[in-house]
Amino acid sequence: MTTAISRNWEHVVVTGGAGFVGSHLCTALLDAGAAVTCVDDLSTGRPENVTPLLERSGFTLVRANVAEGLPVDRRPDLVLHFASPASPADYLRLPLHTMDAGSLGTRNALRLAQECEARFVLASTSEVYGDPRQNPQDERYWGNVNPVGPRSVYDEAKRFGEALTTAHADAHGTDTCIVRLFNTYGPRMRGHDGRAVPTFVRQALAGEPLTVTGDGRQTRSLCYVDDTVAGILAAAAHGMRGPVNIGNPDEITMLELARLVVRLAGSASGIRYIERPVDDPAVRCPDITLARDKLGWEPRVDAEEGLRRTIAWFRAEAGH
């Protein structure tokens, strides 16, 4: 994995480092020679994601709730704040935990970065755009978000996190960056986390019908996790404040995605249509002009190749 812009970090704190994206970040940073402290309460992160890293020099796992504090012994020069339930199944199950991670957790991570004069990167999300009336979405778009809907605990936690990060930078001069991640997928996702790719892959491998919500015409833009990690680290190294979109600008409908997964998995599964969730976005596609121009970054793995890798990982995990 390469990034368009690199920096030699000595010690990086990754909150939510046992989660899907967080664990890939920990691996990439260790590979680049950094020491890494992963802080995670394992409420949604998987211990299996970081178990292999425990044997590597420079890796430390701290089990803690970031909303209650960050018990880190060594000064970091980079803080990556990725602690938050991120899938619908998780944030609907843990609504207050989600809001605490986005508010108190972000405050604690920012304080650590400020005190240590470290670079700070907030993992925000395309969900700050809500059900957008602009497509593709660029960073100047303010969004169309329901503040009291079922998805609001996640959407508004991230929007608040962005506001808090911006205020902290303005008030204290903290070196901050906001990255807005779009529909990342790949190995280490949980099959029952409620997101489309792992749900479809799990169902296809089990020979079950793939559950497509609504008429399946709503779109998403899928970014393979290696590309997402490269974009995050490029933004961290660059020094930009952002926000900056990190995602793949190639849109795909949910019905097209389901059929592609069935084909790549060699499955005989059919399609079953189910009710579409409340406030489910009709479109989701990033404008990545800023990332291309400022970071020299763009995704390299197309959907077919990324899904092949993801299916192979799920198949190995299931013993198929």
Side-chain angles (χ1 to χ4, degrees), residues 164-183:
L164 181 58
T165 298
T166 302
H168 215 277
D170 290 341
H172 299 296
T174 313
D175 183 12
T176 66
C177 178
I178 298 168
V179 292
R180 290 176 177 164
L181 309 184
F182 279 70
N183 297 109

Side-chain angles (χ1 to χ4, degrees), residues 1-9 25 28-29 32 78 119 121 177 227-241 244 246 290-298 300:
M1 185 188 309
T2 59
T3 58
I5 303 169
S6 61
R7 190 187 295 186
N8 294 323
W9 305 105
L25 276 168
L29 288 161
L78 175 63
R119 175 82 162 145
V121 177
C177 178
D227 286 331
T228 296
V229 166
I232 293 163
L233 295 180
H238 182 274
M240 71 187 314
R241 282 182 62 169
V244 57
I246 301 296
L290 182 61
R292 281 194 178 115
D293 290 350
K294 297 294 185 182
L295 306 179
W297 173 89
E298 62 182 357
R300 300 178 181 275

Side-chain angles (χ1 to χ4, degrees), residues 9-10 29 59 71-72 105 107 109 145 147 163 177 191 222 225 231 244 246 251 255 271 281 301 316:
W9 305 105
E10 292 186 8
L29 288 161
F59 182 77
V72 177
R107 184 91 181 231
V145 178
C177 178
L222 306 177
V225 65
V244 57
I246 301 296
E251 272 183 288
L255 183 56
I271 304 294
V301 181

Side-chain angles (χ1 to χ4, degrees), residues 60-84:
T60 303
L61 174 61
V62 176
R63 184 165 183 174
N65 181 347
V66 295
E68 298 173 358
L70 283 170
V72 177
D73 295 331
R74 179 179 172 187
R75 289 174 62 92
D77 52 357
L78 175 63
V79 177
L80 300 176
H81 182 41
F82 279 69
S84 175

Side-chain angles (χ1 to χ4, degrees), residues 231-299:
I232 293 163
L233 295 180
H238 182 274
M240 71 187 314
R241 282 182 62 169
V244 57
N245 290 336
I246 301 296
N248 193 319
D250 294 334
E251 272 183 288
I252 186 172
T253 70
M254 290 298 91
L255 183 56
E256 289 170 336
L257 174 61
R259 289 170 174 165
L260 180 57
V261 168
V262 168
R263 176 171 67 81
L264 294 176
S267 173
S269 294
I271 304 294
R272 180 166 66 90
Y273 294 93
I274 62 174
E275 186 177 358
R276 189 170 163 192
V278 175
D279 295 334
D280 183 48
V283 292
R284 180 71 82 234
C285 181
D287 182 326
I288 63 168
T289 301
L290 182 61
R292 281 194 178 115
D293 290 350
K294 297 294 185 182
L295 306 179
W297 173 89
E298 62 182 357

